[in-house]
Amino acid sequence: MNVDQDRKEAEISRLKRTVVLYPSMSLREVSAPHIPGMYPDLWKGLEYTMNSMGGVGIAAVQVGIPRACVIVNAGEDGRGRHVMYNPKLVEASEEMEISHEGCLSCPGLYTNIKRHRWVDVSYLKEEDGERVQYRFGGLESFAVQHELDHLKGKLIVDRVSYMKRDIYRRKTVSIRRKLKARMVAEVK
C-alpha cells in the first residue's frame, strides 16, 4: 500500500462509528444541545456511517453521542445533505402523509408512519454556526421528522403495535445472543 492509501484508511477508521441497536436504552436518551467544538468532526463520522449503511438520515444518539446533531440526505431534487446542530421544529403542515420507514438502529423493521407533509426547521449550520430556517418536503420532511424523534428518545418501534414490537424485540435479542455466542466461539 502507498502512503495515500494508508492515510485514507486511517481517516476512515477515525470516522467510522458503530450504530447503537434497539433495544439499547441509550437510544431513549433525550439529546442535549450540541456545544460547538465538543465533538470535532462529529458530522463527518455521522455522514460516513450513514452513507456506509445506505441510510438517508442519522442522529448522533444513534452512535452513542446524545447531542442534538442530525444529518439528512434525502433530497429528491438534488438539494443535497443537511447537517443540523440543535434543530428545532418551527412549523408543520396540517396535511399528513404516510411514510414507509426503516431505521439504522432497528434493522429489518419497516413500518408506515403518519407524518407532516412539510416541516420548517431552524438549525445551526456546521460550516459557520449560523442559524437558518429551512422548509423540508416529501422524503426530506419524513427523514427530518424521523431524526427529530431520535433527539427526543423516540424510535419507529414505538409507533408499531405492541405485538409487532414484542416480536421484533424478541427477534433482535435472539440474534444478538447468537452473534455473541459465535464471537466467543471464534475467540476460543
Coordinates of all heavy atoms in Angstrom, one line a residue, residues 65-144:
I65 N -23.8 9.2 21.1 CA -23.5 10.6 21.5 C -24.8 11.3 21.6 O -25.4 11.7 20.6 CB -22.5 11.3 20.5 CG1 -21.2 10.5 20.4 CG2 -22.3 12.7 20.9 CD1 -20.3 11.0 19.3
P66 N -25.3 11.5 22.8 CA -26.7 12.1 23.0 C -26.6 13.6 22.9 O -26.9 14.3 23.8 CB -27.1 11.6 24.4 CG -25.8 11.4 25.1 CD -24.8 11.0 24.1
R67 N -26.2 14.1 21.7 CA -26.2 15.5 21.4 C -27.0 15.8 20.2 O -27.2 15.0 19.3 CB -24.7 16.0 21.1 CG -23.8 15.9 22.3 CD -24.2 17.0 23.3 NE -23.5 16.8 24.5 CZ -23.5 17.7 25.5 NH1 -24.2 18.8 25.4 NH2 -22.8 17.5 26.6
A68 N -27.6 17.0 20.2 CA -28.5 17.4 19.1 C -27.8 17.7 17.8 O -27.6 18.8 17.4 CB -29.4 18.6 19.6
C69 N -27.5 16.6 17.1 CA -26.9 16.7 15.8 C -27.5 15.7 14.9 O -27.6 14.5 15.3 CB -25.4 16.5 15.8 SG -24.6 16.6 14.2
V70 N -28.0 16.1 13.7 CA -28.6 15.1 12.8 C -28.1 15.5 11.4 O -27.8 16.6 11.1 CB -30.2 15.1 12.8 CG1 -30.7 14.7 14.2 CG2 -30.8 16.4 12.3
I71 N -28.1 14.5 10.5 CA -27.8 14.6 9.1 C -28.9 14.0 8.3 O -29.3 12.9 8.7 CB -26.5 14.0 8.7 CG1 -25.3 14.7 9.5 CG2 -26.2 14.1 7.2 CD1 -24.0 14.1 9.1
V72 N -29.4 14.7 7.3 CA -30.4 14.2 6.4 C -29.9 14.4 5.0 O -29.4 15.5 4.7 CB -31.8 14.9 6.6 CG1 -32.7 14.5 5.5 CG2 -32.3 14.5 8.0
N73 N -29.9 13.3 4.2 CA -29.5 13.4 2.8 C -30.5 12.6 2.0 O -30.3 11.5 1.5 CB -28.1 12.8 2.6 CG -27.6 13.2 1.2 OD1 -28.2 13.8 0.5 ND2 -26.4 12.7 0.9
A74 N -31.7 13.2 1.9 CA -32.8 12.5 1.2 C -33.4 13.4 0.1 O -34.6 13.2 -0.3 CB -33.9 12.1 2.2
G75 N -32.7 14.4 -0.4 CA -33.3 15.3 -1.3 C -33.7 14.7 -2.6 O -32.9 14.0 -3.2
E76 N -34.9 14.9 -3.0 CA -35.4 14.4 -4.3 C -35.0 15.3 -5.4 O -35.0 14.9 -6.6 CB -36.9 14.2 -4.2 CG -37.4 13.2 -3.1 CD -38.9 13.3 -2.8 OE1 -39.5 14.3 -3.3 OE2 -39.3 12.4 -2.1
D77 N -34.7 16.5 -5.1 CA -34.4 17.5 -6.2 C -33.0 17.9 -6.2 O -32.6 18.9 -6.8 CB -35.3 18.7 -6.1 CG -35.1 19.4 -4.8 OD1 -34.3 19.0 -4.0 OD2 -35.8 20.4 -4.5
G78 N -32.1 17.1 -5.6 CA -30.7 17.3 -5.7 C -30.2 18.4 -4.8 O -29.0 18.9 -4.9
R79 N -31.0 18.8 -3.8 CA -30.5 19.9 -2.9 C -29.4 19.4 -1.9 O -28.7 20.2 -1.3 CB -31.7 20.4 -2.0 CG -32.6 21.3 -2.8 CD -33.6 21.9 -2.0 NE -34.6 20.9 -1.5 CZ -35.7 21.1 -0.9 NH1 -36.0 22.4 -0.6 NH2 -36.5 20.2 -0.5
G80 N -29.3 18.1 -1.8 CA -28.2 17.5 -1.0 C -28.4 17.4 0.4 O -29.6 17.4 0.9
R81 N -27.3 17.2 1.1 CA -27.4 16.9 2.6 C -27.6 18.2 3.4 O -27.2 19.2 3.0 CB -26.2 16.1 3.0 CG -25.0 16.9 3.0 CD -23.9 16.2 3.8 NE -22.6 16.8 3.7 CZ -22.3 18.0 4.2 NH1 -23.1 18.7 4.9 NH2 -21.1 18.5 4.1
H82 N -28.2 17.9 4.6 CA -28.3 19.0 5.6 C -27.7 18.5 6.9 O -28.2 17.5 7.4 CB -29.8 19.3 5.8 CG -30.4 19.9 4.6 ND1 -30.5 21.3 4.3 CD2 -31.0 19.3 3.5 CE1 -31.1 21.5 3.2 NE2 -31.4 20.3 2.7
V83 N -26.7 19.2 7.4 CA -26.1 18.9 8.7 C -26.7 19.9 9.7 O -26.6 21.1 9.5 CB -24.6 19.0 8.7 CG1 -24.0 18.7 10.1 CG2 -24.0 18.0 7.7
M84 N -27.5 19.4 10.7 CA -28.2 20.3 11.5 C -27.8 20.1 13.0 O -27.9 19.0 13.5 CB -29.7 20.0 11.4 CG -30.3 20.2 10.1 SD -32.0 19.8 9.9 CE -31.9 18.2 9.2
Y85 N -27.3 21.2 13.6 CA -27.0 21.2 15.0 C -28.1 21.9 15.7 O -28.6 22.9 15.3 CB -25.7 21.9 15.3 CG -24.5 21.2 14.8 CD1 -23.7 21.6 13.8 CD2 -24.1 20.0 15.5 CE1 -22.6 20.9 13.4 CE2 -23.0 19.3 15.1 CZ -22.2 19.8 14.0 OH -21.1 19.1 13.6
N86 N -28.6 21.4 16.8 CA -29.6 22.0 17.7 C -30.9 22.3 16.8 O -31.4 23.5 16.9 CB -29.1 23.2 18.4 CG -27.9 22.8 19.3 OD1 -27.8 21.7 19.8 ND2 -27.0 23.7 19.5
P87 N -31.4 21.4 16.1 CA -32.6 21.7 15.3 C -33.8 21.8 16.1 O -34.0 21.1 17.1 CB -32.7 20.4 14.3 CG -32.0 19.3 15.1 CD -30.9 20.0 15.9
K88 N -34.7 22.7 15.7 CA -36.0 22.9 16.3 C -37.1 23.0 15.3 O -36.9 23.7 14.3 CB -36.0 24.3 17.0 CG -34.9 24.5 18.1 CD -35.2 23.8 19.4 CE -34.2 24.1 20.4 NZ -33.8 23.0 21.2
L89 N -38.1 22.2 15.5 CA -39.3 22.3 14.6 C -40.0 23.6 14.9 O -40.4 24.0 16.0 CB -40.2 21.1 15.0 CG -41.5 21.0 14.1 CD1 -41.1 20.7 12.6 CD2 -42.4 19.9 14.6
V90 N -40.2 24.4 13.8 CA -40.8 25.7 13.9 C -42.2 25.6 13.5 O -43.1 26.2 14.1 CB -40.0 26.7 13.0 CG1 -40.7 28.1 13.0 CG2 -38.6 26.8 13.4
E91 N -42.5 24.9 12.4 CA -43.9 24.8 11.9 C -44.0 23.5 11.1 O -43.0 23.0 10.5 CB -44.2 26.0 11.0 CG -45.6 26.2 10.5 CD -45.8 27.4 9.6 OE1 -44.9 28.2 9.4 OE2 -47.0 27.5 9.1
A92 N -45.2 23.0 11.1 CA -45.5 21.8 10.3 C -46.9 21.9 9.6 O -47.8 22.6 10.1 CB -45.5 20.6 11.3
S93 N -47.0 21.3 8.5 CA -48.2 21.3 7.7 C -49.3 20.6 8.5 O -49.0 19.7 9.3 CB -48.0 20.7 6.3 OG -47.8 19.3 6.5
E94 N -50.5 21.0 8.2 CA -51.6 20.3 8.8 C -51.9 19.0 8.0 O -52.3 18.0 8.6 CB -52.9 21.1 8.8 CG -52.8 22.3 9.8 CD -54.1 23.1 9.8 OE1 -55.2 22.6 9.4 OE2 -54.1 24.2 10.3
E95 N -51.5 19.0 6.7 CA -51.7 17.8 5.9 C -50.7 16.8 6.3 O -49.5 17.0 6.5 CB -51.5 18.1 4.4 CG -52.3 19.3 3.9 CD -51.5 20.6 3.9 OE1 -50.8 20.9 4.8 OE2 -51.6 21.3 2.9
M96 N -51.2 15.5 6.4 CA -50.4 14.4 6.8 C -50.3 13.4 5.6 O -51.2 13.4 4.8 CB -51.0 13.7 8.0 CG -51.3 14.6 9.2 SD -49.8 15.2 10.0 CE -49.4 13.9 11.0
E97 N -49.2 12.7 5.6 CA -49.0 11.6 4.6 C -48.4 10.4 5.3 O -47.8 10.5 6.4 CB -48.0 12.1 3.5 CG -48.6 13.2 2.6 CD -47.7 13.5 1.4 OE1 -46.6 12.9 1.3 OE2 -48.0 14.5 0.7
I98 N -48.6 9.3 4.6 CA -48.0 8.0 5.1 C -46.6 7.9 4.6 O -46.3 8.0 3.4 CB -48.8 6.8 4.7 CG1 -50.3 6.9 5.3 CG2 -48.2 5.5 5.2 CD1 -50.3 6.9 6.8
S99 N -45.6 7.7 5.5 CA -44.2 7.4 5.1 C -43.9 6.0 5.5 O -44.1 5.5 6.6 CB -43.4 8.4 6.0 OG -42.0 8.1 5.9
H100 N -43.3 5.3 4.6 CA -42.8 3.9 4.8 C -41.4 4.0 5.3 O -40.5 4.5 4.5 CB -42.9 3.0 3.6 CG -42.7 1.6 3.9 ND1 -43.5 0.8 4.6 CD2 -41.6 0.8 3.5 CE1 -43.0 -0.4 4.7 NE2 -41.9 -0.4 4.1
E101 N -41.1 3.7 6.5 CA -39.8 4.0 7.1 C -39.1 2.7 7.7 O -39.8 1.8 8.2 CB -40.0 5.0 8.3 CG -40.5 6.3 7.8 CD -40.6 7.4 8.9 OE1 -39.9 7.2 9.9 OE2 -41.4 8.3 8.7
G102 N -37.8 2.8 7.7 CA -36.9 1.9 8.4 C -36.0 2.7 9.3 O -36.1 4.0 9.3
C103 N -35.1 2.1 10.0 CA -34.2 2.8 10.9 C -32.9 2.0 11.0 O -32.9 0.8 11.1 CB -34.9 3.0 12.2 SG -33.8 3.8 13.4
L104 N -31.8 2.8 11.0 CA -30.5 2.1 11.1 C -30.3 1.4 12.5 O -29.6 0.5 12.6 CB -29.3 3.2 11.0 CG -29.2 3.9 9.6 CD1 -28.1 4.9 9.6 CD2 -29.0 2.9 8.5
S105 N -31.0 1.9 13.5 CA -30.9 1.3 14.8 C -31.9 0.2 15.0 O -31.9 -0.5 16.1 CB -31.2 2.4 15.9 OG -30.1 3.3 15.9
C106 N -32.8 0.0 14.1 CA -33.8 -1.1 14.1 C -33.8 -1.8 12.8 O -34.8 -1.8 12.1 CB -35.2 -0.5 14.4 SG -35.5 0.5 15.9
P107 N -32.7 -2.5 12.5 CA -32.5 -3.2 11.2 C -33.6 -4.2 11.0 O -34.0 -5.0 12.0 CB -31.1 -3.8 11.3 CG -30.7 -3.8 12.7 CD -31.5 -2.7 13.4
G108 N -34.2 -4.2 9.8 CA -35.2 -5.2 9.5 C -36.6 -4.8 9.8 O -37.6 -5.5 9.5
L109 N -36.8 -3.7 10.5 CA -38.1 -3.3 10.9 C -38.5 -2.1 10.0 O -37.8 -1.1 9.9 CB -38.2 -2.8 12.4 CG -39.5 -2.2 12.8 CD1 -40.6 -3.3 12.8 CD2 -39.4 -1.6 14.2
Y110 N -39.6 -2.3 9.3 CA -40.2 -1.3 8.4 C -41.7 -1.1 8.7 O -42.4 -2.1 9.0 CB -40.0 -1.7 6.9 CG -38.6 -1.9 6.6 CD1 -37.9 -3.1 6.7 CD2 -37.8 -0.8 6.2 CE1 -36.6 -3.2 6.4 CE2 -36.4 -0.9 5.9 CZ -35.9 -2.2 6.0 OH -34.5 -2.3 5.7
T111 N -42.1 0.1 8.8 CA -43.5 0.4 9.1 C -44.0 1.7 8.5 O -43.2 2.5 8.1 CB -43.7 0.4 10.7 OG1 -45.0 0.4 11.0 CG2 -43.0 1.6 11.3
N112 N -45.3 1.8 8.4 CA -45.9 3.0 7.8 C -46.2 3.9 9.0 O -46.7 3.5 10.0 CB -47.2 2.7 7.1 CG -47.0 1.9 5.8 OD1 -45.9 2.1 5.2 ND2 -47.9 1.1 5.5
I113 N -45.8 5.2 8.8 CA -45.9 6.2 9.9 C -46.6 7.4 9.3 O -46.2 7.9 8.2 CB -44.6 6.6 10.5 CG1 -43.9 5.4 11.2 CG2 -44.7 7.7 11.5 CD1 -42.6 5.6 11.7
K114 N -47.6 8.0 10.0 CA -48.2 9.2 9.5 C -47.3 10.4 9.9 O -47.0 10.6 11.1 CB -49.6 9.4 10.1 CG -50.5 10.4 9.5 CD -51.8 10.5 10.1 CE -52.8 9.5 9.5 NZ -54.2 9.8 10.0
R115 N -46.9 11.2 8.9 CA -46.0 12.3 9.1 C -46.6 13.6 8.5 O -47.4 13.5 7.5 CB -44.6 12.1 8.5 CG -43.9 10.9 9.1 CD -43.1 11.3 10.3 NE -42.2 10.2 10.6 CZ -41.6 10.1 11.8 NH1 -41.8 11.0 12.7 NH2 -40.8 9.1 12.1
H116 N -46.1 14.7 8.9 CA -46.5 16.0 8.3 C -45.9 16.1 6.8 O -44.8 15.6 6.6 CB -46.0 17.2 9.1 CG -46.5 17.3 10.4 ND1 -47.8 17.8 10.7 CD2 -46.0 16.9 11.6 CE1 -48.0 17.7 12.0 NE2 -47.0 17.2 12.6
R117 N -46.7 16.6 5.9 CA -46.3 16.7 4.5 C -45.0 17.6 4.4 O -44.1 17.3 3.6 CB -47.4 17.3 3.7 CG -47.0 17.5 2.2 CD -48.1 18.0 1.4 NE -48.9 16.8 1.0 CZ -50.1 16.9 0.5 NH1 -50.6 18.0 0.2 NH2 -50.7 15.8 0.2
W118 N -44.9 18.7 5.2 CA -43.7 19.5 5.2 C -43.5 20.0 6.6 O -44.4 20.1 7.4 CB -43.8 20.7 4.2 CG -45.0 21.6 4.3 CD1 -46.2 21.6 3.6 CD2 -45.1 22.7 5.3 NE1 -47.0 22.5 4.1 CE2 -46.4 23.2 5.1 CE3 -44.3 23.2 6.3 CZ2 -46.9 24.3 5.8 CZ3 -44.8 24.3 7.0 CH2 -46.1 24.8 6.8
V119 N -42.3 20.4 6.9 CA -41.9 21.0 8.1 C -40.9 22.1 7.9 O -40.1 22.0 7.0 CB -41.3 19.9 9.1 CG1 -42.3 18.9 9.6 CG2 -40.1 19.2 8.5
D120 N -41.0 23.1 8.7 CA -40.0 24.2 8.8 C -39.1 23.9 10.0 O -39.7 23.7 11.1 CB -40.6 25.5 8.9 CG -41.2 26.0 7.6 OD1 -41.0 25.4 6.6 OD2 -42.0 27.0 7.7
V121 N -37.8 23.8 9.8 CA -36.9 23.5 10.9 C -35.8 24.6 11.0 O -35.3 25.0 10.0 CB -36.2 22.2 10.7 CG1 -35.2 21.9 11.8 CG2 -37.3 21.1 10.7
S122 N -35.6 25.1 12.2 CA -34.5 26.1 12.4 C -33.3 25.3 13.0 O -33.5 24.4 13.9 CB -35.0 27.1 13.5 OG -33.9 27.8 14.0
Y123 N -32.1 25.5 12.5 CA -30.9 24.8 13.0 C -29.7 25.6 12.7 O -29.6 26.6 12.0 CB -30.8 23.4 12.3 CG -30.7 23.4 10.8 CD1 -29.4 23.5 10.2 CD2 -31.8 23.4 10.0 CE1 -29.3 23.5 8.8 CE2 -31.7 23.4 8.6 CZ -30.4 23.4 8.0 OH -30.3 23.5 6.7
L124 N -28.6 25.2 13.4 CA -27.3 25.8 13.2 C -26.6 25.0 12.1 O -26.6 23.8 12.2 CB -26.4 25.7 14.5 CG -27.0 26.4 15.7 CD1 -26.1 26.2 16.9 CD2 -27.2 27.9 15.4
K125 N -26.0 25.7 11.2 CA -25.2 25.0 10.1 C -23.8 24.6 10.6 O -23.3 25.3 11.5 CB -25.0 26.0 8.9 CG -26.3 26.3 8.2 CD -26.2 27.0 6.9 CE -25.1 28.1 6.9 NZ -25.1 28.9 5.6
E126 N -23.3 23.5 10.1 CA -22.0 23.1 10.5 C -20.9 24.0 10.1 O -19.8 24.1 10.8 CB -21.7 21.6 10.1 CG -21.0 21.4 8.8 CD -21.9 21.4 7.6 OE1 -23.1 21.7 7.7 OE2 -21.3 21.2 6.5
E127 N -21.0 24.6 9.0 CA -19.9 25.4 8.5 C -19.5 26.6 9.3 O -18.4 26.9 9.6 CB -20.2 26.0 7.0 CG -20.5 24.9 6.0 CD -22.0 24.7 5.9 OE1 -22.8 25.5 6.4 OE2 -22.3 23.7 5.3
D128 N -20.6 27.4 9.7 CA -20.3 28.6 10.4 C -21.1 28.9 11.7 O -21.0 29.9 12.3 CB -20.5 29.8 9.4 CG -21.9 29.8 8.8 OD1 -22.8 29.1 9.3 OD2 -22.0 30.5 7.8
G129 N -22.0 27.9 12.0 CA -22.8 28.1 13.2 C -23.9 29.0 13.0 O -24.6 29.4 14.0
E130 N -24.2 29.5 11.8 CA -25.3 30.4 11.5 C -26.6 29.7 11.7 O -26.8 28.5 11.2 CB -25.1 30.9 10.1 CG -26.3 31.8 9.6 CD -26.3 32.1 8.1 OE1 -25.3 31.7 7.4 OE2 -27.2 32.8 7.7
R131 N -27.6 30.3 12.3 CA -28.9 29.7 12.5 C -29.7 30.0 11.2 O -29.8 31.2 10.8 CB -29.6 30.2 13.7 CG -31.0 29.5 13.9 CD -31.5 29.5 15.3 NE -30.9 28.6 16.2 CZ -31.1 27.3 16.3 NH1 -31.9 26.7 15.6 NH2 -30.5 26.6 17.3
V132 N -30.2 29.0 10.6 CA -31.0 29.1 9.4 C -32.4 28.4 9.6 O -32.5 27.6 10.6 CB -30.3 28.5 8.2 CG1 -29.1 29.3 7.9 CG2 -30.1 27.1 8.3
Q133 N -33.3 28.8 8.8 CA -34.6 28.1 8.8 C -34.8 27.5 7.4 O -34.6 28.2 6.4 CB -35.7 29.0 9.2 CG -37.1 28.3 9.4 CD -38.1 29.1 10.0 OE1 -37.8 29.8 11.0 NE2 -39.3 29.1 9.5
Y134 N -35.3 26.3 7.3 CA -35.4 25.6 6.0 C -36.7 24.8 6.0 O -37.1 24.2 7.0 CB -34.3 24.7 5.8 CG -34.0 24.2 4.4 CD1 -33.3 25.0 3.5 CD2 -34.6 23.0 4.0 CE1 -33.1 24.6 2.2 CE2 -34.4 22.6 2.7 CZ -33.7 23.4 1.8 OH -33.5 23.0 0.5
R135 N -37.4 24.8 4.9 CA -38.6 24.1 4.7 C -38.3 22.8 4.0 O -37.7 22.8 2.9 CB -39.7 24.8 3.9 CG -40.9 23.9 3.7 CD -42.1 24.7 3.2 NE -42.6 25.5 4.4 CZ -43.7 26.3 4.4 NH1 -44.4 26.4 3.2 NH2 -44.1 26.9 5.4
F136 N -38.7 21.7 4.6 CA -38.4 20.3 4.0 C -39.7 19.7 3.6 O -40.7 19.8 4.3 CB -37.8 19.4 5.1 CG -36.4 19.8 5.5 CD1 -36.3 20.6 6.7 CD2 -35.3 19.4 4.9 CE1 -35.0 21.0 7.1 CE2 -34.0 19.8 5.3 CZ -33.9 20.6 6.4
G137 N -39.8 19.1 2.4 CA -41.0 18.5 1.9 C -40.7 17.1 1.5 O -39.5 16.7 1.3
G138 N -41.7 16.3 1.3 CA -41.5 14.9 0.7 C -40.7 14.1 1.6 O -40.8 14.1 2.8
L139 N -39.8 13.3 1.0 CA -39.0 12.3 1.7 C -38.1 13.0 2.7 O -37.8 12.6 3.8 CB -38.1 11.5 0.7 CG -37.2 10.5 1.3 CD1 -37.9 9.5 2.1 CD2 -36.4 9.8 0.2
E140 N -37.6 14.2 2.3 CA -36.8 15.0 3.3 C -37.5 15.3 4.5 O -37.0 15.2 5.6 CB -36.3 16.3 2.6 CG -35.1 16.2 1.7 CD -34.6 17.6 1.3 OE1 -35.4 18.4 0.9 OE2 -33.4 17.8 1.3
S141 N -38.8 15.7 4.4 CA -39.6 16.0 5.5 C -39.8 14.8 6.4 O -39.6 14.9 7.7 CB -41.0 16.5 5.1 OG -41.9 16.7 6.2
F142 N -40.0 13.7 5.9 CA -40.2 12.4 6.7 C -38.9 12.1 7.4 O -38.9 11.7 8.5 CB -40.6 11.3 5.8 CG -41.9 11.5 5.0 CD1 -42.1 11.0 3.8 CD2 -42.9 12.4 5.5 CE1 -43.3 11.2 3.0 CE2 -44.1 12.6 4.8 CZ -44.3 12.0 3.5
A143 N -37.8 12.2 6.7 CA -36.5 11.9 7.3 C -36.1 12.8 8.4 O -35.7 12.4 9.4 CB -35.4 11.9 6.2
V144 N -36.4 14.1 8.2 CA -36.1 15.1 9.3 C -37.0 14.8 10.5 O -36.5 14.8 11.6 CB -36.4 16.5 8.8 CG1 -36.4 17.5 9.9 CG2 -35.3 16.9 7.8

